[in-house]
Amino acid sequence: MPVAASAVYFLNLRGDVLINRLYRDDVGGNMVDAFRTHIMQTKELGTCPVRQIGGCSFFYMRISNVYIVIVVSTNANVACAFKFVVEAVALFKSYFGGAFDEDAIRNNFVLIYELLDEIMDFGYPQNLSAEILKLYITQEGVRSPFLSKPADKPVPNATLQVTGAVGWRREGLVYKKNEVFLDIVESVNLLMSSKGSVLRCDVTGKILMKCFLSGMPDLKLGLNDKLFNFFLNIFFNYGKTIELDDVTFHQCVNLTRFNSEKTVSFVPPDGEFELMKYRITEGVNLPFKVLPTIKELGRTRMEVNVKVKSTFIEKLFALGVVVKIPVPKQTAKTSFTVTSGRAKYNASIDSLVWKIRKFPGQTEATLSAEVELISTMTEKKSWTRPPIQMEFQVPMFTASGLRVRFLKVWEKSGYNTVEWVRYITKAGSYEIRC
Amino acid sequence: MSRNDSKYFSTTKKGEIPELKEELNSQYKDKRKDAVKKVIAAMTVGKDVSSLFTDVVNCMQTENLELKKLVYLYLINYAKSQPDLAILAVNTFVKDSQDPNPLIRALAVRTMGCIRVDKITEYLCDPLQRCLKDDDPYVRKTAAICVAKLYDINAELVEDRGFLDSLKDLISDNNPMVVANAVAALAEIQEHSSRPIFEITSHTLSKLLTALNECTEWGQVFILDALSRYKAADAREAENIVERVTPRLQHANCAVVLSAVKMILQQMELITSTDVVRNLCKKMAPPLVTLLSAEPEIQYVALRNINLIVQRRPTILAHEIKVFFCKYNDPIYVKMEKLEIMIKLASDRNIDQVLLEFKEYATEVDVDFVRKAVRAIGRCAIKLERAAERCISVLLELIKIKVNYVVQEAIIVIKDIFRRYPNTYESIIATLCESLDTLDEPEAKACMIWIIGEYAERIDNADELLESFLESFPEEPAQVQLQLLTATVKLFLKKPTEGPQQMIQVVLNNATMETDNPDLRDRAYIYWRLLSTDPEAAKDVVLAEKPVITDDSNQLDSSLLDELLVNIATLSSVYHKPPDAFVTRAHTSAQKAEDEEYPEGSETAYSESSSANPANGAVSTSASVAPPSPPPAVPVPDLLGDLMGMDNSLVPTDEPATPAGPPLPILLPASTGQGLQISAQLTRRDGQVFYSMLFENNTQVPLDGFMIQFNKNTFGLAAGGPLQVPQLQPGTSARTLLPMVMFQNMSQGPPNSLLQVAVKNNQQPVWYFNDKIPFHVFFTEDGKMERSAFLETWRSLPDSNEVSKDFPAIVIGSVDATLERLAASNVFFIAKRKNANQDVFYFSAKMPRGIPLLIELTTVVGSPGVKSAIKTPSPEMSAFLFEAIETLLKS
């Protein structure tokens, strides 16, 4: 059964109900008490996001300082429920203009009630697209289209658009200048052993799009993926191709067509959205290599040497490079020498934090530090050595090698569009064991 | 631009309610709206504002949509507590449902459906009827869901007013969202109904698959979930379906992906071409892996499902083990699940890498995770014979770190490794003994003691080691005491020297005199008596060879797995339990209606049986029996029966003709089975074991889709084919012979003759009942022996294999009749001799796998008392054999 929820609760960290909505009466109104006593107030919190208490099951997620709890008593679709929460939060954020937290909920409770009524009916998720909902659920009730216009003339097509095949774009948009912005954002995830062998490495990328296009345009996107343009590569020798492991698309992309013709064609929503996500595991260009050597000299002293090398071309540079090197809890004193950037000891995360604002390609930087430890008798267990973690951003670089070949915009009025493409690679979980 | 609604939460001094009342009746619109907001705010924080009902409802007649919505929200919450006043709102609802604005029409219908007050429900019907045929798709899609709401409140009303037909019409609607909601509503109604309401034909199937392309993401989930119940006719159709569903794997919504995977896996069962299957497996892997980059909660759901998927199709993710390596910052519940899957995917090819990972995890901070990692190493050792040695060396390395809980966990798994590979790795015992004094957990202690006892002869100072534990014997937990007791006895039997002898005295004294634990005391007494009467026998018992244990990492039973795979993405797949194990409110209104027709008994019987469902589906889990899918009810004979006016007690055509025979024992009385009565007995016919069953339908509805499963049992009996029972019209019955196979799902543990059966049909909950296995059905037809062969067999078996038993109450009246009866059950007469005034008869029989059975019966014909002696290579069966003999002689 695809039912996702019988009731939805929004709780603050103390467990007070901020807002709740019962969609079905198979769960009692006081079920949230069970959640509070059996999960929130116990060590269970955070050990498992799906729990059964009595005849009911609870799914919960924490988002900033709010717990969103879904209660069901049937064999509900959990995947659907969690996805609903994620999407609903995105929707609320888009309405509140950014933040989603306890205050935002209190300040907008009327609006949230209204949205909750609209986006889920009897436990079945309905249209959650902010673009369409904003047509008839407005920020200020007073400015509701039904008041500004005579009652017998409802907002044109609102209901048709909610239910229509293109349920994410409204008609009749007009822009003076037709522009499309494409951002290719990649996160590199790396897990490297202390000996330097790559245990796991993948890139999860997404293509973010910002569209300011008039009318109902049809777009077609071409990438240098093998799948996408097999023929183009054969006939036009389009250069290097890469192989994506998996692609998922925004609901605007025609999946059947992608499957048969291998083209990404779509009618985009207006404004900003995530067009596609992809994953790649083969042939990843790691932007940084990290070579740590950590020596424990007796019980009270440690020597830390970390060398970081950038492997991308000289013309490019990385921004906001941070290397976090964990040290034992009983660290007393540290001293550093670094070839670039700045390092300091941060006791709250038990790490040496080394920051380099700008890191050019094909260079290397080293940190050597001496750490003095307080010798303790109680600490019998040896130090577990968490991995070194790294953060960075490399503009105009893709770890996957992905490139946009073309973006075609077709609209019946035949206007010209300007396309902008940017690339950036960030660190996902970039971990090196030491 | 955020608003500041929080002001509505601020409380005024006393007299809040009267103040609100006044504001609600204000002549100014804005003031009224603010007042309603305050009421809603109060409601949200749990204050009782039901006393304002009339005043709030008075604000309902408004042009302001926002205000209207708030009033409606209030109504949903309080209408139940004020049913009489709720009627006040009906007029507005009905009026709103005819509003020119489709949003208001939909809102009215949507809200009315949420108000579960009978009086309102009556008024809902007409507006709903109109809205189902509304011009605007938004109204229609809301009305579709509303039918499901109404069905939940009053199923009869929905059926009487023909809403189901209107709903079915909506499946052909030209708007995809209407279609999706109609499908969701129908699927839900079907789930609660005993009648076939929403049957997916190949025509609807193809229509819905087309609608998939245009639906919202959620609509796709509804449709895929509903379609996953569809059983394709053949491999070709299955391939077609799969082809149209696979594009969904690329969807960004995880629920769509999982529902698509569910559907593909279902259809794959039918696909025979290995190429196609391999190709599909290849296609499913990347989307499943992608789910692991979603939010941790979604990852958790995905991992629980992947756990099931790799059990059925290990190839899908065989090469992807790396993606399950734990990240340092993964939440603990994600890590634990990843570990579980890593064990499942571990193979000779990747074990080195996996071991490195496990070793890494074993040094992390979270104690539970570390323990699980250590245990995982052990499980890999048990699973992969060729890697066992490497696993053990990793465990030894970990022991050397001397982290207390790591050592203890390692010892626990090493004990299992010893039992898996006897006489292979005992050389490491010395290393284990080094960490003896760090053990402080009962399980680890017990395991270590077991190891010492088991290998006492190879440990030079075993007696010293055990002695060190003995000092604290009275304070130890029962688990440790029991092991200490057994280990000391083992030590004594292996090294019957002075030291152990003293120890055993101490232990036995302690365990018999100074304990309140009956288990410990009993075990001690048994050892004591064994040792004092016959030390050799004690050796045979205590030092007997243990069966080799096997890998349990693919623990789910195949029929349970089937059921769980049908439920991918749902709670059932997360809990790894069938839905009826945790959903209590199985049948709602439909059930209620049915119960009313059986005023007495049935209601209690129902609750009884549902509580009897084993919590984790113990009964239904086992058995690779009835394939879960094919509807056994063949419509053809049913039709014929009706046409020709025959009695409805049909015999399925492809079964051996069922003779009337003696009445079968009733195992599920109609009072327990809500009108369904099942009688059954195991019989043997033409060299095969059948389960002869009689189904009688005393309910008011036709029953169909019968399926049967057998729990694990001593003889491994399981169904040899699907249960062939046609649709049973009310008041009719059907007999069937279900062919049975043996040694399919053997249960562990002491042998017994219990046969647990689960029968289900499409209309009722699963019924569980117990039957007794009459052993004589296993006697094979070729059991007749020549005299000489008989004598030879008798002599060749040691005397210890002879067991005898008296049946003082049994009289053998007529020798001939008895012999005939026995021969009919494949117990063959060999010879007879006279011994004083007694007659001695010899019989032979053969059990499955060719095990001979020799029987000697001594009796005085015509007077009570039969002495029976049997001799067989497997005397552990004797209890059953005597039972069988007794039954045969009695009948």
Side-chain angles (χ1 to χ4, degrees):
Chain A
M1 201 157 69
V3 157
S6 288
V8 182
Y9 290 91
F10 294 76
L11 307 178
N12 66 9
L13 296 185
R14 279 193 308 169
D16 304 332
V17 179
L18 299 175
I19 214 168
N20 72 309
R21 173 71 208 250
L22 294 171
Y23 288 105
R24 291 172 165 251
D25 79 335
D26 57 351
V27 297
N30 55 356
M31 277 326 290
V32 72
D33 295 336
F35 178 78
R36 231 179 272 140
T37 47
H38 291 282
I39 299 178
M40 283 194 90
Q41 292 164 5
T42 63
K43 278 187 284 179
E44 302 287 327
L45 193 66
T47 56
C48 181
V50 182
R51 299 295 303 223
Q52 188 186 358
I53 303 169
C56 291
S57 294
F58 295 81
F59 322 145
Y60 62 97
M61 256 181 165
R62 182 178 162 172
I63 288 156
S64 78
N65 55 1
V66 178
Y67 281 103
I68 301 180
V69 185
I70 281 187
V71 193
V72 298
S73 77
T74 52
N75 183 26
N77 190 323
V78 193
C80 205
F82 277 130
K83 189 68 189 174
F84 170 78
V85 172
V86 172
E87 300 270 303
V89 169
L91 173 70
F92 296 152
K93 280 183 178 167
S94 125
Y95 264 97
F96 310 158
F100 176 84
D101 53 22
E102 189 178 344
D103 290 338
I105 293 177
R106 282 196 195 279
N107 285 332
N108 295 283
F109 83 98
V110 176
L111 175 66
I112 296 180
Y113 269 131
E114 206 175 335
L115 286 172
L116 284 177
D117 194 42
E118 190 61 42
I119 59 180
M120 185 173 258
D121 193 4
F122 202 44
Y124 294 100
Q126 304 293 307
N127 201 332
L128 267 79
S129 144
E131 170 78 357
I132 295 295
L133 287 170
K134 280 181 181 165
L135 278 179
Y136 62 100
I137 297 182
T138 44
Q139 301 228 350
E140 285 296 327
V142 203
R143 274 203 258 118
S144 162
F146 303 105
L147 279 186
S148 51
K149 290 167 193 170
D152 58 348
K153 227 171 135 199
V155 65
N157 297 334
T159 56
L160 289 176
Q161 289 190 30
V162 184
T163 59
V166 188
W168 51 84
R169 186 181 180 90
R170 77 189 128 100
E171 282 168 18
L173 290 166
V174 181
Y175 287 97
K176 242 186 219 162
K177 196 173 170 193
N178 289 293
E179 280 181 304
V180 185
F181 297 86
L182 272 180
D183 275 327
I184 288 88
V185 182
E186 297 196 335
S187 321
V188 205
N189 298 304
L190 171 76
L191 184 60
M192 197 182 260
S193 77
S194 51
K195 297 187 182 68
S197 61
V198 175
L199 296 175
R200 203 199 49 220
C201 169
D202 61 77
V203 173
T204 51
K206 47 191 175 187
I207 300 188
L208 301 176
M209 212 166 186
K210 224 184 262 179
C211 285
F212 304 109
L213 296 171
S214 315
M216 278 293 193
D218 257 315
L219 271 66
K220 213 181 221 184
L221 176 75
L223 302 171
N224 65 334
D225 172 49
K226 254 188 197 163
L227 266 181
F228 278 86
N229 39 17
F230 182 69
F231 292 107
L232 289 179
N233 282 312
I234 290 179
F235 295 118
F236 302 107
N237 191 16
Y238 242 158
K240 188 183 164 237
T241 60
I242 59 160
E243 202 165 345
L244 299 180
D245 283 23
D246 187 36
V247 209
T248 57
F249 294 106
H250 184 265
Q251 56 166 333
C252 67
V253 175
N254 187 331
L255 292 179
T256 320
R257 211 153 141 204
F258 172 73
N259 233 47
S260 56
E261 301 165 26
K262 301 291 169 215
T263 54
V264 185
S265 50
F266 54 100
V267 180
D270 192 40
E272 205 171 338
F273 71 103
E274 186 181 292
L275 175 67
M276 62 179 265
K277 267 200 224 165
Y278 57 89
R279 191 165 46 78
I280 185 166
T281 45
E282 297 298 322
V284 175
N285 312 314
L286 291 176
F288 286 101
K289 285 215 168 102
V290 182
L291 306 163
T293 40
I294 296 181
K295 277 189 219 151
E296 286 177 58
L297 308 168
R299 294 182 54 121
T300 55
R301 239 158 51 80
M302 267 176 49
E303 224 177 70
V304 179
N305 271 295
V306 180
K307 189 193 279 180
V308 179
K309 268 185 185 170
S310 58
T311 60
F312 43 88
I313 54 167
E314 292 148 31
K315 272 191 267 174
L316 301 180
F317 50 84
L319 297 173
V321 177
V322 180
V323 186
K324 288 182 193 158
I325 306 146
V327 289
K329 262 200 168 4
Q330 64 269 31
T331 298
K333 213 177 131 192
T334 53
S335 56
F336 308 93
T337 43
V338 287
T339 56
S340 61
R342 260 186 205 174
K344 64 177 180 200
Y345 166 59
N346 184 337
S348 64
I349 54 171
D350 294 319
S351 301
L352 308 178
V353 181
W354 176 23
K355 290 185 180 168
I356 305 162
R357 203 168 288 158
K358 197 167 170 182
F359 200 127
Q362 298 294 336
T363 57
E364 60 177 63
T366 49
L367 165 142
S368 34
E370 260 188 43
V371 180
E372 278 176 42
L373 309 175
I374 309 167
S375 72
T376 48
M377 304 308 286
T378 47
E379 196 78 8
K380 245 200 276 174
K381 209 174 75 180
S382 69
W383 177 49
T384 59
R385 288 199 179 189
I388 293 180
Q389 294 182 328
M390 213 178 151
E391 293 165 19
F392 53 80
Q393 296 189 355
V394 192
M396 297 320 285
F397 172 81
T398 51
S400 65
L402 186 90
R403 281 284 180 269
V404 172
R405 289 282 186 233
F406 60 82
L407 177 70
K408 287 181 185 149
V409 181
W410 185 88
E411 217 277 335
K412 52 180 185 273
S413 61
Y415 54 74
N416 285 324
T417 44
V418 187
E419 295 112 33
W420 305 89
V421 182
R422 286 190 297 187
Y423 300 92
I424 192 165
T425 292
K426 296 178 183 170
S429 100
Y430 209 83
E431 296 178 349
I432 297 97
R433 290 178 181 162
C434 53
Chain B
M1 201 178 60
S2 107
R3 290 195 277 168
N4 190 11
D5 290 349
S6 49
K7 64 172 185 269
Y8 301 113
F9 287 99
S10 58
T11 45
T12 50
K13 329 109 240 163
K14 51 198 160 168
E16 192 184 14
I17 297 273
E19 203 171 287
L20 279 173
K21 206 179 180 88
E22 194 181 307
E23 285 176 33
L24 283 170
N25 291 312
S26 157
Q27 51 177 323
Y28 301 110
K29 259 199 267 176
D30 285 352
K31 205 157 195 185
R32 284 207 301 270
K33 193 161 120 190
D34 273 3
V36 175
K37 282 186 183 175
K38 278 182 201 163
V39 172
I40 299 287
M43 183 182 93
T44 304
V45 295
K47 281 182 205 151
D48 183 17
V49 283
S50 58
S51 56
L52 295 168
F53 199 91
T54 355
D55 308 285
V56 176
V57 171
N58 281 339
C59 301
M60 196 172 166
Q61 290 258 23
T62 171
E63 293 282 282
N64 184 320
L65 194 60
E66 194 190 6
L67 179 57
K68 195 183 272 290
K69 284 180 177 172
L70 289 172
V71 175
Y72 279 7
L73 185 69
Y74 178 90
L75 272 172
I76 294 174
N77 270 293
Y78 287 110
K80 233 181 175 176
S81 58
Q82 309 267 353
D84 295 328
L85 292 174
I87 210 86
L88 293 173
V90 163
N91 260 334
T92 321
F93 274 131
V94 176
K95 208 175 122 221
D96 279 357
S97 75
Q98 287 161 309
D99 195 279
N101 182 342
L103 287 172
I104 293 185
R105 293 203 293 279
L107 182 65
V109 167
R110 186 163 70 213
T111 312
M112 270 179 106
C114 295
I115 298 177
R116 305 171 62 94
V117 173
D118 280 342
K119 284 181 197 149
I120 292 217
T121 316
E122 286 164 28
Y123 290 99
L124 172 61
C125 289
D126 290 326
L128 182 56
Q129 198 100 56
R130 267 197 308 274
C131 288
L132 280 167
K133 305 231 157 34
D134 201 286
D135 287 337
D136 194 295
Y138 182 79
V139 181
R140 290 202 299 278
K141 73 123 186 163
T142 312
I145 295 283
C146 190
V147 176
K149 292 181 188 167
L150 186 59
Y151 193 88
D152 195 38
I153 306 169
N154 191 341
E156 243 171 86
L157 196 61
V158 170
E159 291 179 22
D160 293 349
R161 297 290 298 250
F163 285 133
L164 292 181
D165 292 325
S166 316
L167 203 52
K168 280 183 219 166
D169 291 343
L170 290 185
I171 293 186
S172 315
D173 202 282
N174 55 17
N175 183 295
M177 197 153 176
V178 178
V179 176
N181 277 3
V183 168
L186 278 169
E188 172 163 351
I189 290 171
Q190 177 66 76
E191 199 155 303
H192 294 310
S193 168
S194 47
R195 293 191 304 112
I197 288 169
F198 180 39
E199 277 173 305
I200 299 167
T201 60
S202 57
H203 179 64
T204 35
L205 176 88
S206 124
K207 214 161 32 183
L208 290 179
L209 283 176
T210 315
L212 262 188
N213 285 328
E214 291 160 3
C215 277
T216 64
E217 37 194 343
W218 313 107
Q220 297 182 20
V221 178
F222 306 160
I223 292 181
L224 286 170
D225 274 8
L227 290 186
S228 65
R229 288 189 299 131
Y230 180 78
K231 306 284 177 261
D234 51 28
R236 252 193 66 206
E237 189 182 10
E239 280 180 42
N240 275 331
I241 296 173
V242 165
E243 198 174 312
R244 297 177 69 178
V245 174
T246 33
R248 298 299 123 203
L249 294 174
Q250 248 69 54
H251 205 287
N253 185 320
C254 61
V256 176
V257 173
L258 277 175
S259 291
V261 167
K262 162 161 59 187
M263 186 146 178
I264 293 171
L265 283 174
Q266 282 323 102
Q267 302 302 338
M268 260 166 91
E269 297 291 321
L270 279 171
I271 296 177
T272 42
S273 152
T274 46
D275 278 352
V276 177
V277 170
R278 199 181 317 125
N279 206 357
L280 282 173
C281 287
K282 231 167 114 189
K283 274 194 185 152
M284 270 188 285
L288 286 174
V289 173
T290 300
L291 292 178
L292 300 183
S293 49
E295 290 73 11
E297 289 84 359
I298 293 177
Q299 280 185 50
Y300 174 75
V301 175
L303 286 165
R304 291 293 283 175
N305 278 289
I306 288 173
N307 189 323
L308 297 174
I309 295 167
V310 296
Q311 285 188 47
R312 173 53 43 89
R313 304 265 173 197
T315 49
I316 292 185
L317 294 163
H319 301 283
E320 304 281 357
I321 193 162
K322 277 188 176 184
V323 301
F324 298 101
F325 288 1
C326 300
K327 294 182 189 158
Y328 191 73
N329 293 327
D330 279 337
I332 183 71
Y333 51 85
V334 169
K335 283 183 175 173
M336 293 292 214
E337 292 308 318
K338 282 185 171 173
L339 211 55
E340 201 55 48
I341 293 170
M342 283 171 74
I343 300 173
K344 292 211 162 69
L345 295 179
S347 65
D348 288 329
R349 213 160 19 82
N350 57 26
I351 185 70
D352 286 327
Q353 223 176 1
V354 170
L355 280 177
L356 275 177
E357 280 299 303
F358 287 161
K359 205 174 131 191
E360 189 73 34
Y361 305 157
T363 60
E364 277 199 23
V365 191
D366 189 301
V367 177
D368 286 335
F369 181 57
V370 170
R371 283 172 179 277
K372 192 151 181 162
V374 176
R375 214 164 263 225
I377 299 172
R379 276 170 65 185
C380 284
I382 291 167
K383 182 178 162 191
L384 305 168
E385 186 162 6
R386 277 196 280 168
E389 205 173 329
R390 278 169 279 169
C391 297
I392 290 177
S393 66
V394 172
L395 285 173
L396 290 178
E397 280 174 51
L398 290 174
I399 288 179
K400 281 182 193 135
I401 306 177
K402 297 233 184 247
V403 175
N404 187 323
Y405 49 85
V406 173
V407 174
Q408 313 213 36
E409 203 65 35
I411 285 177
I412 294 171
V413 292
I414 286 177
K415 184 208 83 181
D416 285 343
I417 295 175
F418 283 167
R419 291 208 50 190
R420 170 74 174 80
Y421 308 106
N423 304 318
T424 325
Y425 298 111
E426 284 77 4
S427 52
I428 64 168
I429 290 175
T431 324
L432 299 186
C433 291
E434 286 166 22
S435 1
L436 215 55
D437 18 314
T438 56
L439 306 182
D440 55 7
E441 287 163 26
E443 197 183 358
K445 253 188 191 175
C447 289
M448 191 63 219
I449 294 168
W450 182 88
I451 293 173
I452 298 174
E454 189 67 19
Y455 301 102
E457 71 275 25
R458 307 185 198 203
I459 307 172
D460 294 335
N461 57 344
D463 41 351
E464 285 169 35
L465 295 175
L466 280 182
E467 209 162 2
S468 66
F469 283 109
L470 281 184
E471 286 159 18
S472 54
F473 186 88
E475 290 89 49
E476 295 290 357
Q479 196 182 8
V480 179
Q481 288 180 328
L482 284 168
Q483 281 309 329
L484 260 177
L485 173 62
T486 308
T488 323
V489 174
K490 283 180 185 165
L491 173 72
F492 172 71
L493 289 170
K494 289 177 175 180
K495 295 182 180 173
T497 52
E498 201 182 323
Q501 186 147 13
Q502 277 176 353
M503 277 164 66
I504 201 121
Q505 279 302 333
V506 176
V507 173
L508 288 177
N509 263 327
N510 257 321
T512 49
M513 313 294 207
E514 287 164 29
T515 177
D516 299 326
N517 183 340
D519 283 349
L520 181 66
R521 204 168 46 217
D522 285 358
R523 194 186 280 192
Y525 273 125
I526 290 172
Y527 284 146
W528 202 330
R529 268 173 216 152
L530 264 174
L531 290 171
S532 54
T533 49
D534 186 357
E536 278 311 304
K539 256 186 191 169
D540 287 346
V541 173
V542 181
L543 304 179
E545 222 168 88
K546 281 155 207 69
V548 171
I549 58 164
T550 49
D551 164 43
D552 65 340
S553 62
N554 278 353
Q555 38 324 47
L556 284 181
D557 187 272
S558 91
S559 63
L560 174 63
L561 187 58
D562 282 337
E563 189 171 0
L564 296 182
L565 285 172
V566 179
N567 284 304
I568 280 183
T570 67
L571 258 184
S572 167
S573 72
V574 172
Y575 290 150
H576 290 187
K577 287 180 191 167
D580 40 346
F582 60 91
V583 177
T584 43
R585 205 192 66 135
H587 294 257
T588 50
S589 7
Q591 191 64 48
K592 273 180 237 150
E594 216 166 274
D595 280 346
E596 274 156 20
E597 288 162 20
Y598 298 92
E600 265 160 287
S602 64
E603 205 146 19
T604 50
Y606 172 63
S607 62
E608 233 173 61
S609 66
S610 60
S611 66
N613 286 2
N616 56 357
V619 171
S620 59
T621 59
S622 61
S624 52
V625 198
S629 38
V634 197
V636 182
D638 196 2
L639 244 177
L640 270 181
D642 281 352
L643 278 178
M644 301 160 98
M646 286 195 327
D647 182 339
N648 261 327
S649 61
L650 286 160
V651 179
T653 43
D654 54 344
E655 288 291 325
T658 323
L664 300 168
I666 295 171
L667 297 177
L668 179 77
S671 57
T672 318
Q674 287 179 9
L676 173 69
Q677 176 160 308
I678 301 176
S679 326
Q681 192 169 35
L682 281 168
T683 61
R684 184 178 191 88
R685 201 162 291 160
D686 305 328
Q688 212 197 334
V689 182
F690 289 96
Y691 203 39
S692 174
M693 305 188 76
L694 174 67
F695 294 85
E696 288 164 72
N697 181 1
N698 301 321
T699 65
Q700 303 297 310
V701 292
L703 301 176
D704 62 7
F706 281 97
M707 283 194 251
I708 190 166
Q709 286 190 334
F710 297 91
N711 196 1
K712 289 187 174 149
N713 53 72
T714 303
F715 305 101
L717 276 175
L723 184 64
Q724 306 269 356
V725 179
Q727 189 182 46
L728 269 188
Q729 294 302 324
T732 64
S733 63
R735 249 175 193 274
T736 182
L737 276 181
L738 176 70
M740 302 286 283
V741 288
M742 289 188 75
F743 309 117
Q744 277 294 312
N745 52 341
M746 316 267 285
S747 66
Q748 305 293 315
N752 62 62
S753 60
L754 186 67
L755 180 66
Q756 290 175 311
V757 191
V759 171
K760 68 169 269 193
N761 57 50
N762 287 344
Q763 285 74 30
Q764 294 183 312
V766 180
W767 302 117
Y768 300 94
F769 54 85
N770 290 338
D771 195 2
K772 207 169 158 65
I773 301 173
F775 195 86
H776 54 84
V777 300
F778 300 130
F779 295 153
T780 55
E781 281 68 15
D782 59 348
K784 188 152 181 70
M785 275 188 192
E786 289 305 312
R787 271 184 152 191
S788 53
F790 182 88
L791 283 172
E792 205 170 296
T793 321
W794 188 276
R795 277 197 216 106
S796 69
L797 290 169
D799 283 346
S800 58
N801 281 16
E802 186 176 332
V803 202
S804 65
K805 190 176 178 182
D806 284 321
F807 304 116
I810 290 182
V811 189
I812 294 185
S814 145
V815 176
D816 287 343
T818 308
L819 296 188
E820 204 172 298
R821 209 166 49 229
L822 287 173
S825 294
N826 296 331
V827 178
F828 302 99
F829 174 68
I830 305 283
K832 174 181 153 182
R833 72 183 167 96
K834 272 243 179 248
N835 184 5
N837 63 334
Q838 290 178 315
D839 282 309
V840 187
F841 301 87
Y842 294 92
F843 300 88
S844 74
K846 211 179 233 174
M847 295 183 272
R849 298 192 170 158
I851 302 170
L853 165 68
L854 312 177
I855 306 169
E856 179 193 73
L857 294 181
T858 313
T859 182
V860 178
V861 175
S863 54
V866 176
K867 181 177 187 302
S868 158
I870 56 171
K871 212 166 180 185
T872 163
S874 38
E876 64 277 7
M877 292 286 191
S878 55
F880 302 111
L881 296 171
F882 286 127
E883 232 171 75
I885 294 170
E886 192 179 1
T887 325
L888 288 175
L889 290 177
K890 254 192 208 159
S891 53

